[in-house]
Amino acid sequence: MVATSTLKPKSSECVSELADRRYDHGCIDAGLDVWLDCLDETQRTSDATEDRTCQQLAKMFENCLSRAKKTTLHCSSVLVPEKLTRRIAREVLRLASCEPCGLRGSVLYVHLELDKGCKQLERIVYDATVVPTFELTLVFKQDGTAWPSLRDFLFMGTCFAPTFRHALKLSPGFRLVKKKLYSSSAGTVIEEC
């Protein structure tokens, strides 16, 4: 017997077919319950693993922004919209799902789009033991509607340009660019979210 997602739980056709073969109804019900429990457990395990991977990936993006705030972005804090890193992580997992090695075969380039162009924040290799099969470029966007802080405003007209911003606010939008490597049908997929 093969358990699939198309199995109708305790369908009358299945039970009557087995009853015609002289199987005990109690035994049939118990057997079907075992298979249904196995299917449910497999689905729960798969969902939990995917959720854990999504959380880890979101945390990687948050850590990347945290490291970059003083070294690359020159600001004291980065304001990230609620659930932005989680949304990005889900999109990355979706794009990685059709790859031979999944997320393990990815190289992630993290950028921030600023007024003057893009800044590379970090290069993340998810699993260094796997040869990369695709690249993902994540571009965070700066929120253009954010007002500059009073301290930034006071320094704008002076000859002493500020080298350290108080806060950088990110937009809820982002861009993901997927580039397949080592493939005869190599192509680029651009997703704007």
Side-chain angles (χ1 to χ4, degrees):
M1 179 179 210
V2 177
T4 65
S5 61
T6 59
L7 178 68
K8 295 177 185 169
K10 296 185 183 181
S11 71
S12 58
E13 295 169 9
C14 180
V15 173
S16 64
E17 179 184 331
L18 291 173
D20 289 343
R21 293 184 186 168
R22 306 215 188 271
Y23 286 102
D24 179 35
H25 279 285
C27 182
I28 295 169
D29 287 341
L32 287 173
D33 286 341
V34 169
W35 278 108
L36 290 174
D37 288 344
C38 287
L39 286 173
D40 290 343
E41 183 62 32
T42 303
Q43 184 65 36
R44 280 194 300 267
T45 304
S46 174
D47 291 346
T49 302
E50 187 175 317
D51 193 48
R52 191 172 33 253
T53 304
C54 189
Q55 288 174 353
Q56 290 171 345
L57 197 53
K59 190 68 173 167
M60 285 174 67
F61 293 136
E62 291 165 8
N63 291 338
C64 171
L65 290 169
S66 179
R67 285 187 295 273
K69 72 180 176 184
K70 291 192 178 173
T71 58
T72 311
L73 301 175
H74 305 292
C75 62
S76 61
S77 63
V78 177
L79 304 175
V80 182
E82 186 178 2
K83 299 181 183 178
L84 174 64
T85 55
R86 185 73 180 220
R87 274 186 27 233
I88 294 170
R90 277 196 304 270
E91 284 298 311
V92 167
L93 288 174
R94 186 182 64 76
L95 289 172
S97 67
C98 60
E99 293 297 321
C101 298
L103 187 60
R104 293 176 52 235
S106 69
V107 176
L108 297 159
Y109 293 96
V110 183
H111 294 267
L112 175 65
E113 188 175 87
L114 297 167
D115 299 333
K116 300 173 187 173
C118 267
K119 266 193 180 182
Q120 182 172 342
L121 304 182
E122 201 165 305
R123 178 181 182 266
I124 301 170
V125 178
Y126 194 80
D127 187 346
T129 64
V130 177
V131 176
T133 58
F134 69 105
E135 294 175 345
L136 282 173
T137 303
L138 165 63
V139 182
F140 286 106
K141 296 180 178 184
Q142 183 179 3
D143 189 352
T145 63
W147 284 79
S149 71
L150 182 59
R151 190 166 100 201
D152 291 345
F153 184 72
L154 292 175
F155 282 114
M156 275 184 197
T158 67
C159 60
F160 303 107
T163 58
F164 197 77
R165 297 176 71 169
H166 181 61
L168 175 74
K169 185 177 179 186
L170 297 181
S171 164
F174 61 91
R175 184 171 52 248
L176 269 175
V177 179
K178 178 181 176 180
K179 180 181 176 187
K180 291 186 175 201
L181 306 173
Y182 311 111
S183 173
S184 60
S185 62
T188 303
V189 176
I190 300 173
E191 298 236 348
E192 192 89 24
C193 300

